[in-house]
Amino acid sequence: MRGLIALLLLLLFFTGIHSAHPAAVRASADEPLITVQTPAGVPIQAEVADTPQKRAKGLMFRENLGQHRGMLFIFNEPQAWTFWMKNTRIPLDIIWMDNKKRIVHIEQNVPGCQRTDESCPQYRPNENAMYVLEIAAGTADGYKLRRGAKLHFTLP
């Protein structure tokens, strides 16, 4: 009987670790969210990627992205920032914005990339950007996101 109880406790312990693993690839409850207002008036709750580590990880390993959720990448200087989808499991729309938060480029329905080498496609705007917003694929049209449209958000 003691062996069975020990086995059950061990099983519960490992089940707890396994179920906690997906939380490691989701936003931490401590991480602030920024509300990004679209031209259509839809608020997107965006996680903030404002450090090299957060920008490098991005939305890697996520299984899904909730409705009206996204990730806002904030850079220190405007450049034609290149993005790729390595280890990204969900397709995304990627929106580049200038320093005035105007959309300068959109890549829609960008597929995830599970290649094990470094050959995932890269996506780059033709103009410099300060901010990049990633949202679920196919939602940019519904939010009326177009080149030249302005998004509204306040930085932390």
Side-chain angles (χ1 to χ4, degrees):
M1 186 65 154
R2 277 188 161 162
L4 182 59
I5 291 172
L7 181 62
L8 286 172
L9 288 174
L10 194 59
L11 182 61
L12 284 172
F13 174 75
F14 283 112
T15 302
I17 288 176
H18 182 268
S19 65
H21 175 68
V25 296
R26 288 194 307 263
S28 165
D30 299 337
E31 291 292 323
L33 296 175
I34 288 181
T35 300
V36 178
Q37 192 80 23
T38 70
V42 178
I44 300 169
Q45 297 301 312
E47 299 169 40
V48 177
D50 57 356
T51 66
Q53 296 81 10
K54 289 178 185 178
R55 289 190 292 261
K57 183 178 178 186
L59 292 171
M60 287 182 173
F61 307 109
R62 303 284 181 98
E63 295 296 332
N64 57 53
L65 188 59
Q67 184 178 20
H68 308 302
R69 294 296 301 258
M71 180 169 279
L72 181 65
F73 295 78
I74 301 171
F75 296 96
N76 296 327
E77 60 185 60
Q79 285 187 28
W81 297 103
T82 301
F83 277 63
W84 69 342
M85 300 290 284
K86 183 167 179 157
N87 297 319
T88 304
R89 298 176 179 164
I90 51 177
L92 299 170
D93 289 345
I94 306 173
I95 298 100
W96 284 262
M97 293 166 275
D98 65 14
N99 61 342
K100 294 180 181 168
K101 303 172 188 170
R102 283 187 316 241
I103 297 173
V104 296
H105 187 76
I106 300 175
E107 288 286 341
Q108 294 183 303
N109 298 308
V110 176
C113 184
Q114 297 297 311
R115 295 180 185 165
T116 56
D117 60 9
E118 302 296 313
S119 65
C120 291
Q122 296 184 5
Y123 303 90
R124 180 184 176 115
N126 293 327
E127 296 182 41
N128 290 340
M130 277 293 274
Y131 311 102
V132 178
L133 179 65
E134 291 183 336
I135 54 178
T139 56
D141 278 340
Y143 293 157
K144 299 186 183 343
L145 300 181
R146 306 278 182 268
R147 182 178 163 80
K150 187 171 181 176
L151 299 178
H152 301 278
F153 54 89
T154 303
L155 299 175

